[in-house]
Amino acid sequence: HPAPFLGGFYFFAFISMKLDPTQSFDINILKGALLTNPSGAEFFITGVGVDIANHEILIDLEDGNSLEWSTLKDWSIQFQTCPK
């Protein structure tokens, strides 16, 4: 279902959660998620890539930078979902 349209804005719910190390999820849920670093700076995820040569998962941020997934363990993440 599409997100409700509210006078020029789409309404989205944010879900914060701590991921269990053995948990798995569809990688597409990362697109649009909000990352917060330990200093409180926030970044939206715009994409996910793989560096095959170095066996790394790269998280693309709205500011054009990319971070290795392994460097984000002290960051928080809020997944963006559309309410039904």
Side-chain angles (χ1 to χ4, degrees):
H1 300 313
F5 186 70
L6 302 174
F9 297 96
Y10 283 94
F11 173 78
F12 291 96
F14 285 97
I15 300 171
S16 291
M17 62 188 296
K18 182 171 177 79
L19 298 175
D20 184 292
T22 61
Q23 185 175 354
S24 64
F25 55 87
D26 182 342
I27 200 164
N28 289 308
I29 197 171
L30 292 172
K31 293 178 185 173
L34 178 66
L35 289 174
T36 305
N37 70 17
S39 299
E42 297 179 332
F43 306 88
F44 281 99
I45 296 174
T46 58
V48 180
V50 177
D51 179 340
I52 295 172
N54 294 310
H55 304 280
E56 297 169 344
I57 297 172
L58 301 174
I59 304 301
D60 301 328
L61 304 178
E62 65 183 328
D63 65 359
N65 290 314
S66 295
L67 301 173
E68 295 175 32
W69 176 258
S70 63
T71 65
L72 302 176
K73 60 183 169 180
D74 293 327
W75 293 43
S76 67
I77 187 168
Q78 293 179 347
F79 295 105
Q80 192 173 171
T81 61
C82 293
K84 295 184 181 193

Coordinates of all heavy atoms in Angstrom, one line a residue:
H1 N 0.8 -1.2 0.0 CA 0.0 0.0 0.0 C 0.9 1.2 0.0 O 1.9 1.3 0.7 CB -0.9 0.0 1.2 CG -1.8 -1.1 1.4 ND1 -2.6 -1.6 0.3 CD2 -2.1 -1.9 2.4 CE1 -3.3 -2.6 0.8 NE2 -3.0 -2.9 2.0
P2 N 0.5 2.3 -0.7 CA 1.3 3.5 -0.7 C 1.1 4.2 0.7 O 0.2 4.0 1.4 CB 0.7 4.3 -1.8 CG -0.6 3.8 -2.1 CD -0.6 2.3 -1.7
A3 N 2.1 5.0 1.0 CA 2.1 5.8 2.2 C 1.0 6.8 2.1 O 0.7 7.4 1.1 CB 3.4 6.5 2.5
P4 N 0.3 7.1 3.2 CA -0.8 8.2 3.2 C -0.2 9.5 2.8 O 0.9 9.9 3.3 CB -1.3 8.2 4.6 CG -0.8 6.9 5.3 CD 0.4 6.5 4.5
F5 N -0.9 10.3 2.0 CA -0.4 11.6 1.6 C -1.1 12.6 2.5 O -2.3 12.7 2.6 CB -0.9 11.8 0.1 CG -0.3 13.1 -0.5 CD1 1.0 13.2 -0.7 CD2 -1.2 14.1 -0.7 CE1 1.6 14.4 -1.3 CE2 -0.6 15.3 -1.3 CZ 0.7 15.4 -1.6
L6 N -0.3 13.4 3.2 CA -0.8 14.4 4.1 C -0.4 15.8 3.7 O 0.7 16.3 4.1 CB -0.2 14.1 5.5 CG -0.6 12.7 6.1 CD1 0.1 12.5 7.4 CD2 -2.1 12.6 6.3
G7 N -1.1 16.4 2.9 CA -0.9 17.8 2.5 C 0.5 18.1 2.0 O 1.1 19.1 2.5
G8 N 1.0 17.4 1.1 CA 2.3 17.6 0.6 C 3.4 16.8 1.2 O 4.6 16.8 0.7
F9 N 3.1 16.0 2.2 CA 4.1 15.2 2.8 C 3.6 13.7 2.9 O 2.4 13.5 3.1 CB 4.4 15.6 4.3 CG 5.0 17.0 4.3 CD1 4.2 18.1 4.5 CD2 6.4 17.2 4.1 CE1 4.7 19.4 4.6 CE2 6.9 18.5 4.2 CZ 6.1 19.5 4.4
Y10 N 4.5 12.8 2.7 CA 4.2 11.4 2.9 C 4.5 11.0 4.4 O 5.6 11.4 4.9 CB 5.0 10.5 2.0 CG 4.4 10.5 0.6 CD1 4.9 11.4 -0.4 CD2 3.3 9.7 0.2 CE1 4.3 11.4 -1.7 CE2 2.8 9.7 -1.0 CZ 3.3 10.6 -2.0 OH 2.7 10.6 -3.2
F11 N 3.7 10.3 5.0 CA 3.9 9.9 6.4 C 4.6 8.5 6.4 O 4.2 7.6 5.8 CB 2.5 9.7 7.1 CG 2.6 9.1 8.5 CD1 3.1 9.9 9.5 CD2 2.3 7.8 8.7 CE1 3.2 9.4 10.8 CE2 2.4 7.3 9.9 CZ 2.9 8.0 11.0
F12 N 5.7 8.4 7.2 CA 6.4 7.2 7.3 C 6.6 7.0 8.8 O 6.8 7.9 9.6 CB 7.8 7.3 6.7 CG 7.7 7.3 5.2 CD1 7.8 8.5 4.5 CD2 7.6 6.1 4.4 CE1 7.7 8.5 3.1 CE2 7.5 6.1 3.1 CZ 7.6 7.3 2.4
A13 N 6.6 5.7 9.2 CA 6.9 5.3 10.6 C 8.4 4.9 10.7 O 8.9 4.3 9.8 CB 6.0 4.2 11.0
F14 N 9.0 5.3 11.8 CA 10.4 4.9 12.0 C 10.4 3.8 13.1 O 9.7 3.9 14.1 CB 11.3 6.0 12.4 CG 11.6 6.9 11.3 CD1 10.9 8.1 11.1 CD2 12.7 6.6 10.4 CE1 11.2 8.9 10.0 CE2 13.0 7.5 9.4 CZ 12.3 8.6 9.2
I15 N 11.2 2.8 12.9 CA 11.3 1.7 13.8 C 12.7 1.6 14.2 O 13.6 1.4 13.4 CB 10.8 0.3 13.2 CG1 9.4 0.4 12.7 CG2 11.0 -0.8 14.2 CD1 8.9 -0.7 11.9
S16 N 13.0 1.7 15.5 CA 14.4 1.6 16.0 C 14.5 0.2 16.6 O 13.5 -0.3 17.2 CB 14.7 2.6 17.2 OG 14.7 3.8 16.6
M17 N 15.6 -0.5 16.4 CA 15.8 -1.8 16.9 C 17.2 -2.1 17.0 O 18.1 -1.6 16.3 CB 15.1 -2.8 16.1 CG 15.5 -2.9 14.7 SD 14.5 -4.0 13.6 CE 14.7 -5.6 14.4
K18 N 17.6 -3.0 18.0 CA 18.9 -3.5 18.1 C 19.0 -4.8 17.4 O 18.1 -5.7 17.6 CB 19.3 -3.7 19.6 CG 20.7 -4.1 19.8 CD 21.0 -4.1 21.3 CE 22.4 -4.6 21.5 NZ 23.4 -3.7 21.2
L19 N 19.9 -5.0 16.5 CA 20.0 -6.2 15.7 C 20.8 -7.2 16.5 O 21.9 -7.0 17.0 CB 20.7 -5.9 14.4 CG 19.9 -4.9 13.4 CD1 20.7 -4.7 12.2 CD2 18.6 -5.5 13.1
D20 N 20.3 -8.4 16.5 CA 21.0 -9.6 17.1 C 22.1 -10.0 16.1 O 21.8 -10.0 14.9 CB 20.0 -10.7 17.3 CG 20.6 -11.9 18.0 OD1 21.4 -12.6 17.3 OD2 20.2 -12.2 19.1
P21 N 23.3 -10.4 16.5 CA 24.3 -10.8 15.6 C 23.9 -12.0 14.7 O 24.5 -12.1 13.6 CB 25.5 -11.2 16.5 CG 25.2 -10.6 17.8 CD 23.7 -10.4 17.9
T22 N 23.0 -12.8 15.1 CA 22.6 -13.9 14.3 C 21.4 -13.6 13.4 O 20.9 -14.5 12.7 CB 22.3 -15.2 15.2 OG1 21.2 -14.8 16.1 CG2 23.5 -15.6 16.0
Q23 N 20.9 -12.4 13.5 CA 19.7 -12.0 12.8 C 20.0 -11.8 11.3 O 21.1 -11.3 11.0 CB 19.1 -10.8 13.4 CG 17.8 -10.3 12.8 CD 17.2 -9.2 13.6 OE1 17.7 -8.8 14.7 NE2 16.1 -8.6 13.1
S24 N 19.0 -12.0 10.4 CA 19.2 -11.7 9.0 C 18.0 -10.9 8.6 O 16.9 -11.0 9.2 CB 19.4 -12.9 8.2 OG 18.3 -13.8 8.2
F25 N 18.1 -10.2 7.5 CA 17.0 -9.4 6.9 C 17.3 -9.1 5.5 O 18.4 -9.2 5.0 CB 16.8 -8.1 7.7 CG 18.0 -7.2 7.8 CD1 18.3 -6.3 6.8 CD2 18.9 -7.3 8.9 CE1 19.5 -5.5 6.9 CE2 20.0 -6.5 9.0 CZ 20.3 -5.6 8.0
D26 N 16.2 -8.7 4.7 CA 16.4 -8.4 3.3 C 17.2 -7.1 3.3 O 16.8 -6.1 3.9 CB 15.0 -8.2 2.7 CG 15.0 -7.8 1.3 OD1 16.1 -7.4 0.7 OD2 13.9 -8.0 0.6
I27 N 18.2 -7.1 2.5 CA 19.2 -5.9 2.4 C 18.4 -4.7 1.9 O 18.9 -3.6 2.2 CB 20.4 -6.3 1.6 CG1 21.5 -5.3 1.9 CG2 20.1 -6.3 0.1 CD1 22.9 -5.8 1.4
N28 N 17.4 -4.8 1.2 CA 16.6 -3.6 0.7 C 16.0 -2.8 1.8 O 15.7 -1.6 1.5 CB 15.6 -4.1 -0.3 CG 16.2 -4.6 -1.6 OD1 17.0 -3.9 -2.2 ND2 15.8 -5.8 -2.0
I29 N 15.8 -3.4 3.0 CA 15.2 -2.6 4.1 C 16.2 -1.5 4.5 O 15.8 -0.5 5.2 CB 14.8 -3.5 5.3 CG1 13.9 -2.7 6.2 CG2 16.0 -4.0 6.0 CD1 13.3 -3.6 7.3
L30 N 17.5 -1.6 4.2 CA 18.5 -0.6 4.6 C 18.3 0.7 3.8 O 18.6 1.8 4.3 CB 19.9 -1.1 4.4 CG 20.3 -2.2 5.3 CD1 21.7 -2.7 4.8 CD2 20.4 -1.7 6.7
K31 N 17.8 0.7 2.6 CA 17.6 1.9 1.8 C 16.6 2.8 2.4 O 15.5 2.3 2.7 CB 17.2 1.5 0.4 CG 18.3 0.8 -0.4 CD 17.9 0.4 -1.8 CE 18.9 -0.4 -2.5 NZ 18.4 -0.9 -3.8
G32 N 16.9 4.0 2.7 CA 16.0 4.9 3.4 C 16.1 4.9 4.9 O 15.5 5.8 5.5
A33 N 16.9 4.0 5.5 CA 17.0 3.9 6.9 C 17.9 5.1 7.4 O 18.7 5.6 6.7 CB 17.6 2.6 7.3
L34 N 17.6 5.5 8.6 CA 18.4 6.6 9.2 C 19.4 6.0 10.2 O 19.1 5.3 11.1 CB 17.4 7.5 10.0 CG 18.0 8.7 10.7 CD1 18.6 9.7 9.7 CD2 17.0 9.4 11.6
L35 N 20.7 6.4 9.9 CA 21.8 6.0 10.8 C 22.1 7.2 11.7 O 22.1 8.3 11.3 CB 23.0 5.7 10.0 CG 23.0 4.4 9.2 CD1 24.3 4.3 8.3 CD2 22.9 3.2 10.1
T36 N 22.5 6.9 13.0 CA 22.9 7.9 13.9 C 24.2 7.4 14.5 O 24.3 6.3 15.0 CB 21.9 8.1 15.0 OG1 20.6 8.4 14.4 CG2 22.3 9.3 15.9
N37 N 25.3 8.3 14.3 CA 26.6 7.9 14.9 C 26.6 8.2 16.4 O 25.7 8.8 16.9 CB 27.7 8.5 14.1 CG 27.9 10.0 14.3 OD1 27.3 10.6 15.2 ND2 28.6 10.6 13.4
P38 N 27.7 7.7 17.1 CA 27.7 7.9 18.5 C 27.8 9.4 19.0 O 27.4 9.7 20.1 CB 29.1 7.2 18.9 CG 29.2 6.2 17.9 CD 28.7 6.8 16.6
S39 N 28.1 10.3 18.0 CA 28.1 11.7 18.3 C 26.8 12.4 18.1 O 26.6 13.6 18.4 CB 29.2 12.5 17.5 OG 30.4 11.9 17.8
G40 N 25.8 11.6 17.5 CA 24.5 12.1 17.3 C 24.2 12.6 15.9 O 23.1 13.0 15.6
A41 N 25.2 12.6 15.0 CA 25.0 13.0 13.6 C 24.2 12.0 12.9 O 24.3 10.8 13.1 CB 26.3 13.2 12.9
E42 N 23.3 12.4 12.0 CA 22.3 11.5 11.4 C 22.6 11.5 9.9 O 22.9 12.5 9.3 CB 20.9 11.9 11.6 CG 20.5 11.8 13.1 CD 19.1 12.3 13.4 OE1 18.6 13.1 12.6 OE2 18.5 11.8 14.3
F43 N 22.4 10.3 9.3 CA 22.7 10.1 7.8 C 21.6 9.1 7.3 O 21.4 8.1 7.9 CB 24.0 9.5 7.6 CG 25.2 10.3 8.2 CD1 25.6 10.1 9.5 CD2 25.8 11.3 7.5 CE1 26.6 10.8 10.1 CE2 26.8 12.0 8.0 CZ 27.2 11.8 9.3
F44 N 21.0 9.5 6.1 CA 20.1 8.5 5.5 C 20.9 7.6 4.6 O 21.8 8.1 3.9 CB 19.0 9.2 4.7 CG 17.9 9.7 5.6 CD1 17.9 11.1 6.0 CD2 16.9 8.9 6.0 CE1 16.9 11.5 6.8 CE2 15.9 9.3 6.9 CZ 15.9 10.7 7.2
I45 N 20.6 6.3 4.5 CA 21.2 5.4 3.6 C 20.5 5.5 2.3 O 19.3 5.4 2.2 CB 21.1 3.9 4.2 CG1 21.8 3.8 5.5 CG2 21.6 2.9 3.1 CD1 21.6 2.5 6.2
T46 N 21.3 5.7 1.2 CA 20.8 5.8 -0.1 C 21.0 4.5 -1.0 O 20.4 4.3 -2.0 CB 21.4 7.0 -0.9 OG1 22.8 6.8 -0.9 CG2 21.1 8.3 -0.2
G47 N 21.9 3.7 -0.5 CA 22.2 2.4 -1.3 C 23.1 1.5 -0.5 O 23.7 1.9 0.5
V48 N 23.3 0.3 -1.0 CA 24.2 -0.7 -0.5 C 25.0 -1.3 -1.6 O 24.4 -1.6 -2.7 CB 23.3 -1.8 0.2 CG1 24.2 -2.8 0.8 CG2 22.4 -1.2 1.3
G49 N 26.3 -1.4 -1.4 CA 27.1 -2.0 -2.4 C 28.0 -3.1 -1.8 O 28.1 -3.2 -0.6
V50 N 28.7 -3.8 -2.7 CA 29.7 -4.8 -2.2 C 31.0 -4.6 -2.9 O 31.1 -4.4 -4.1 CB 29.1 -6.2 -2.6 CG1 30.1 -7.3 -2.2 CG2 27.8 -6.5 -1.9
D51 N 32.0 -4.5 -2.1 CA 33.4 -4.5 -2.6 C 33.9 -5.9 -2.7 O 34.3 -6.5 -1.7 CB 34.3 -3.6 -1.7 CG 35.7 -3.5 -2.1 OD1 36.2 -4.3 -2.9 OD2 36.4 -2.6 -1.6
I52 N 33.8 -6.5 -3.8 CA 34.1 -7.9 -4.0 C 35.6 -8.2 -3.7 O 35.9 -9.2 -3.0 CB 33.7 -8.4 -5.4 CG1 32.2 -8.3 -5.6 CG2 34.2 -9.8 -5.7 CD1 31.8 -8.5 -7.0
A53 N 36.5 -7.3 -4.1 CA 37.9 -7.6 -3.9 C 38.3 -7.6 -2.4 O 39.1 -8.4 -2.0 CB 38.7 -6.5 -4.6
N54 N 37.6 -6.8 -1.6 CA 38.0 -6.7 -0.2 C 36.9 -7.4 0.7 O 37.0 -7.3 1.9 CB 38.1 -5.3 0.2 CG 39.3 -4.6 -0.4 OD1 40.4 -5.2 -0.4 ND2 39.1 -3.5 -1.1
H55 N 35.9 -8.0 0.1 CA 34.9 -8.7 0.9 C 34.2 -7.8 1.9 O 34.1 -8.2 3.1 CB 35.4 -10.0 1.5 CG 36.1 -10.9 0.6 ND1 35.4 -11.8 -0.2 CD2 37.4 -11.1 0.3 CE1 36.2 -12.5 -0.9 NE2 37.5 -12.1 -0.7
E56 N 33.8 -6.6 1.4 CA 33.2 -5.7 2.3 C 31.8 -5.3 1.8 O 31.6 -5.2 0.6 CB 34.0 -4.4 2.4 CG 35.4 -4.7 3.1 CD 36.3 -3.5 2.9 OE1 36.0 -2.5 2.1 OE2 37.3 -3.5 3.6
I57 N 30.9 -5.0 2.7 CA 29.6 -4.4 2.4 C 29.7 -2.9 2.7 O 30.1 -2.5 3.7 CB 28.5 -5.1 3.3 CG1 28.4 -6.5 3.0 CG2 27.1 -4.3 3.0 CD1 27.4 -7.3 3.9
L58 N 29.4 -2.1 1.7 CA 29.5 -0.7 1.7 C 28.1 -0.1 1.8 O 27.2 -0.4 1.1 CB 30.2 -0.1 0.5 CG 31.6 -0.6 0.3 CD1 32.2 -0.1 -1.0 CD2 32.5 -0.2 1.5
I59 N 27.9 0.9 2.8 CA 26.7 1.6 3.0 C 26.8 3.0 2.4 O 27.7 3.7 2.8 CB 26.3 1.7 4.5 CG1 26.3 0.2 5.1 CG2 25.0 2.4 4.7 CD1 25.3 -0.7 4.5
D60 N 26.0 3.3 1.4 CA 26.1 4.6 0.7 C 25.2 5.6 1.5 O 24.0 5.3 1.8 CB 25.6 4.5 -0.7 CG 26.4 3.5 -1.5 OD1 27.7 3.4 -1.3 OD2 25.9 2.9 -2.4
L61 N 25.8 6.8 1.8 CA 25.0 7.8 2.5 C 24.6 8.9 1.6 O 25.2 9.1 0.6 CB 25.9 8.3 3.7 CG 26.4 7.2 4.6 CD1 27.3 7.9 5.7 CD2 25.3 6.5 5.3
E62 N 23.6 9.7 2.1 CA 23.1 10.8 1.3 C 24.1 11.9 1.0 O 23.9 12.6 0.1 CB 21.9 11.4 2.1 CG 22.3 12.1 3.4 CD 21.1 12.6 4.2 OE1 20.1 13.0 3.6 OE2 21.2 12.6 5.4
D63 N 25.2 12.0 1.8 CA 26.2 13.0 1.5 C 27.2 12.5 0.5 O 28.2 13.2 0.2 CB 26.9 13.4 2.8 CG 27.7 12.3 3.5 OD1 27.7 11.2 2.9 OD2 28.3 12.5 4.6
G64 N 27.0 11.4 -0.1 CA 27.9 10.9 -1.1 C 29.0 10.0 -0.6 O 29.8 9.4 -1.4
N65 N 29.2 9.9 0.7 CA 30.2 9.0 1.3 C 29.7 7.6 1.4 O 28.5 7.3 1.4 CB 30.6 9.5 2.6 CG 31.5 10.8 2.5 OD1 32.4 10.9 1.7 ND2 31.1 11.8 3.4
S66 N 30.6 6.6 1.5 CA 30.3 5.2 1.8 C 31.0 4.8 3.0 O 32.2 5.2 3.2 CB 30.6 4.3 0.6 OG 29.8 4.7 -0.5
L67 N 30.4 3.9 3.8 CA 31.0 3.4 5.0 C 31.0 1.9 5.0 O 30.0 1.3 4.4 CB 30.3 3.9 6.3 CG 30.3 5.4 6.5 CD1 29.4 5.7 7.7 CD2 31.6 5.9 6.8
E68 N 32.0 1.2 5.5 CA 31.9 -0.2 5.6 C 30.9 -0.6 6.7 O 30.9 0.0 7.8 CB 33.3 -0.8 6.0 CG 34.4 -0.6 5.0 CD 35.7 -1.0 5.5 OE1 35.8 -2.0 6.2 OE2 36.7 -0.4 5.0
W69 N 30.1 -1.6 6.5 CA 29.1 -2.1 7.4 C 29.8 -2.4 8.8 O 29.2 -2.1 9.8 CB 28.4 -3.3 6.9 CG 27.4 -3.9 7.8 CD1 27.6 -5.0 8.6 CD2 26.1 -3.4 8.1 NE1 26.5 -5.3 9.3 CE2 25.5 -4.3 9.1 CE3 25.3 -2.3 7.7 CZ2 24.3 -4.1 9.6 CZ3 24.1 -2.2 8.2 CH2 23.6 -3.1 9.2
S70 N 31.0 -3.0 8.7 CA 31.6 -3.4 10.0 C 32.0 -2.3 10.9 O 32.2 -2.4 12.1 CB 32.9 -4.2 9.6 OG 33.8 -3.4 8.9
T71 N 32.0 -1.0 10.4 CA 32.4 0.1 11.2 C 31.2 0.8 11.9 O 31.4 1.7 12.6 CB 33.1 1.2 10.3 OG1 32.1 1.7 9.4 CG2 34.3 0.7 9.6
L72 N 30.0 0.2 11.7 CA 28.8 0.8 12.2 C 28.3 0.2 13.5 O 27.1 0.5 13.9 CB 27.7 0.8 11.1 CG 28.0 1.5 9.8 CD1 26.9 1.2 8.8 CD2 28.3 2.9 10.0
K73 N 29.1 -0.7 14.1 CA 28.5 -1.4 15.2 C 28.1 -0.6 16.4 O 27.3 -1.0 17.2 CB 29.4 -2.5 15.6 CG 30.8 -2.1 16.1 CD 31.6 -3.4 16.4 CE 33.1 -3.1 16.6 NZ 33.9 -4.2 16.8
D74 N 28.7 0.7 16.6 CA 28.3 1.5 17.7 C 27.2 2.6 17.2 O 26.9 3.5 18.0 CB 29.5 2.3 18.2 CG 30.4 1.3 18.9 OD1 30.0 0.3 19.5 OD2 31.7 1.5 18.9
W75 N 26.7 2.5 16.0 CA 25.7 3.4 15.5 C 24.3 2.8 15.7 O 24.2 1.6 15.9 CB 25.9 3.6 14.0 CG 27.2 4.3 13.6 CD1 28.4 4.1 14.1 CD2 27.3 5.3 12.6 NE1 29.3 4.9 13.4 CE2 28.7 5.6 12.5 CE3 26.4 5.9 11.7 CZ2 29.1 6.6 11.6 CZ3 26.9 6.8 10.8 CH2 28.2 7.2 10.8
S76 N 23.3 3.7 15.7 CA 21.9 3.2 15.8 C 21.3 3.3 14.4 O 21.8 4.1 13.6 CB 21.1 3.9 16.8 OG 21.0 5.3 16.4
I77 N 20.3 2.5 14.2 CA 19.6 2.5 12.9 C 18.1 2.5 13.1 O 17.6 1.9 14.0 CB 20.1 1.3 12.0 CG1 19.5 1.4 10.6 CG2 19.7 0.0 12.7 CD1 20.1 0.4 9.6
Q78 N 17.4 3.3 12.3 CA 16.0 3.4 12.3 C 15.5 3.0 10.9 O 15.8 3.7 10.0 CB 15.5 4.8 12.7 CG 15.8 5.2 14.1 CD 15.3 6.6 14.4 OE1 14.9 7.3 13.5 NE2 15.2 7.0 15.6
F79 N 14.8 1.9 10.9 CA 14.3 1.4 9.6 C 13.0 2.2 9.3 O 12.2 2.4 10.2 CB 14.0 -0.1 9.6 CG 15.2 -0.9 9.8 CD1 15.5 -1.5 11.0 CD2 16.1 -1.1 8.7 CE1 16.6 -2.2 11.1 CE2 17.2 -1.8 8.9 CZ 17.5 -2.4 10.1
Q80 N 12.8 2.6 8.1 CA 11.7 3.4 7.6 C 10.7 2.5 7.0 O 11.0 1.8 6.0 CB 12.1 4.5 6.6 CG 11.1 5.5 6.4 CD 11.7 6.6 5.5 OE1 10.9 7.4 5.1 NE2 13.0 6.7 5.2
T81 N 9.5 2.4 7.5 CA 8.4 1.6 6.9 C 7.2 2.4 6.6 O 6.9 3.4 7.4 CB 8.1 0.4 7.8 OG1 7.6 0.9 9.1 CG2 9.3 -0.5 8.1
C82 N 6.5 2.0 5.6 CA 5.2 2.6 5.4 C 4.1 2.0 6.2 O 4.0 0.7 6.1 CB 4.8 2.5 3.9 SG 5.9 3.4 2.8
P83 N 3.3 2.7 6.9 CA 2.2 2.1 7.7 C 1.1 1.5 6.7 O 1.0 2.0 5.6 CB 1.6 3.2 8.5 CG 2.0 4.5 7.8 CD 3.3 4.1 7.0
K84 N 0.5 0.5 7.1 CA -0.6 -0.2 6.3 C -1.9 0.4 6.5 O -2.2 0.9 7.5 CB -0.6 -1.7 6.5 CG 0.7 -2.3 6.1 CD 0.7 -3.8 6.3 CE 2.0 -4.3 5.8 NZ 2.2 -5.6 5.6

